[in-house]
Amino acid sequence: MRYIRYAFLAALGILLISVSLANRGFVSLKLMPDAVAQLMGFNMAISLPLFVVVLGGIVVGLVIGFFWEWMREHKHRREADVKAREVRKLE
């Protein structure tokens, strides 16, 4: 089972490296569209390689999803904690 996990991680690593090498072109990320930026008077822009934008988006999505799920399960964890305290008290 350990070797299957290592093989999967190696294949995933090769896939991520090949995607990164294929998408090295720089893209410009802007905070606001040009028309809104002219109206507001400022605009932030940064140039990054495309693979950083794509992989960064995946990482940010995972972090937001994990946080959302952790917050959603808060009431279940609290209830389990209360029941565990009751069990210790009754023992």
Side-chain angles (χ1 to χ4, degrees):
M1 187 56 97
R2 180 174 44 181
Y3 296 116
I4 294 172
R5 181 175 50 190
Y6 290 151
F8 175 74
L9 290 175
L12 183 64
I14 291 170
L15 178 73
L16 289 175
I17 289 171
S18 66
V19 166
S20 299
L21 290 174
N23 294 298
R24 291 180 299 180
F26 280 83
V27 293
S28 185
L29 296 178
K30 296 180 182 179
L31 182 63
M32 293 181 271
D34 290 331
V36 176
Q38 289 176 354
L39 185 65
M40 299 288 281
F42 70 95
N43 191 12
M44 292 179 53
I46 188 169
S47 291
L48 294 170
L50 181 60
F51 75 91
V52 172
V53 175
V54 172
L55 296 179
I58 291 170
V59 168
V60 168
L62 283 171
V63 168
I64 290 171
F66 287 145
F67 179 74
W68 187 277
E69 189 65 19
W70 181 75
M71 292 297 292
R72 191 183 69 82
E73 291 177 348
H74 174 69
K75 62 182 175 184
H76 301 293
R77 288 192 309 272
R78 184 174 14 115
E79 184 178 320
D81 188 39
V82 168
K83 290 188 184 219
R85 270 191 251 132
E86 287 179 13
V87 166
R88 277 184 294 206
K89 182 179 173 184
L90 292 173
E91 284 178 346

